[in-house]
Amino acid sequence: MKRKNVCRWYDETSGMKRAYDQGLLDIKWIEDYCWNGGKECVRKRKYEQEGYVSPDYVLPDGTVDENLKKWVENG
């Protein structure tokens, strides 16, 4: 497992990290985006360009994961 280029936003406050740590998110999302420096991540781009923080149920490609949405909303 390579972790050479971890996205600077992938930390304990990251919605993607918390969902992955809870077993709610497939590792492919983390490997393809978070451990790839955030390359092509819609969440990262919106935050860095617009200051917009995506809800924790929005995936790196910009789609909404309904299971994550339920998890977030039922907190």
Side-chain angles (χ1 to χ4, degrees):
M1 175 182 336
K2 291 183 184 179
R3 288 200 189 188
K4 292 182 181 180
N5 192 18
V6 176
C7 176
R8 66 189 255 179
W9 305 113
Y10 186 74
D11 61 19
E12 297 306 318
T13 65
S14 165
M16 295 298 97
K17 180 174 184 353
R18 287 184 284 118
Y20 174 68
D21 289 349
Q22 290 291 315
L24 301 169
L25 193 61
D26 191 283
I27 194 167
K28 77 175 185 113
W29 293 106
I30 304 306
E31 289 177 337
D32 292 350
Y33 293 91
C34 303
W35 294 345
N36 191 16
K39 184 178 178 186
E40 312 237 357
C41 178
V42 170
R43 294 172 56 92
K44 178 181 185 285
R45 184 175 64 240
K46 281 187 170 257
Y47 182 71
E48 291 179 351
Q49 292 177 357
E50 303 169 19
Y52 176 79
V53 178
S54 296
D56 289 344
Y57 51 81
V58 175
L59 297 173
D61 68 354
T63 60
V64 171
D65 181 307
E66 291 299 328
N67 289 329
L68 283 181
K69 187 174 182 178
K70 289 176 189 171
W71 176 67
V72 168
E73 291 176 346
N74 293 325

